[in-house]
Amino acid sequence: MKHFIIALIVLGACVENTFGKNLFEIVNKFQKRTTLSVHCYSGNDDLGIQYLMNGQEQHWRFKDAFFHATVFRCELKHGYEFQNYQTFVAYNSKWKNGNHANVTWLAVERGLYQIWNHRTPEFMYPWI
């Protein structure tokens, strides 16, 4: 029984390291004074609506699901009565190819840029 408990502790440590915490964040990088409405959610979690002013950011840390993909979607809105918007997949555990990853989304006048692990921003989506 003692060996079984030790094996469970070791297995738990391995699983923790394999399925450790990941991060995605949204950053309001508009040049003009703009409030950004951010609503992110997954199949299991609704992260609520956040309002970000210029230069503010919101990030979430979480662990990937063990038996299925972890997917977070976000809807970002701005402008008069928040009429400009974009809905997109902000994080998908299948994107990583087994590596832990951090993804940052920059909201600017043109649309949304994606940054993986602090690399060069890539334009992804215009505002609708």
Side-chain angles (χ1 to χ4, degrees), residues 12-124:
C14 291
V15 168
E16 174 67 25
N17 290 334
T18 303
F19 302 98
K21 292 191 176 187
N22 297 296
L23 167 86
F24 80 90
E25 63 185 339
I26 309 291
V27 182
N28 181 344
K29 295 295 274 186
F30 279 88
Q31 296 296 315
K32 297 179 182 176
R33 185 175 155 192
T34 302
T35 301
L36 183 67
S37 170
V38 178
H39 181 211
C40 297
Y41 53 91
S42 71
N44 298 326
D45 297 302
D46 186 331
L47 304 176
I49 298 174
Q50 318 290 321
Y51 294 97
L52 304 179
M53 297 305 295
N54 298 71
Q56 289 185 319
E57 62 186 62
Q58 177 67 50
H59 66 271
W60 295 272
R61 290 192 176 276
F62 54 92
K63 293 182 183 178
D64 288 338
F66 188 75
F67 292 108
H68 56 83
T70 299
V71 178
F72 278 94
R73 291 174 176 76
C74 293
E75 180 179 51
L76 276 53
K77 299 178 182 180
H78 75 92
Y80 179 72
E81 295 185 359
F82 296 103
Q83 83 272 16
N84 302 309
Y85 69 95
Q86 185 56 260
T87 302
F88 61 100
V89 175
Y91 177 87
N92 187 332
S93 58
K94 291 183 178 180
W95 290 343
K96 299 184 310 175
N97 296 325
N99 298 318
H100 296 290
N102 298 322
V103 61
T104 299
W105 292 91
L106 303 178
V108 300
E109 284 77 5
R110 182 177 176 204
L112 299 174
Y113 285 81
Q114 182 185 52
I115 303 173
W116 279 105
N117 294 323
H118 310 291
R119 294 196 176 115
T120 304
E122 178 183 353
F123 182 73
M124 299 299 287

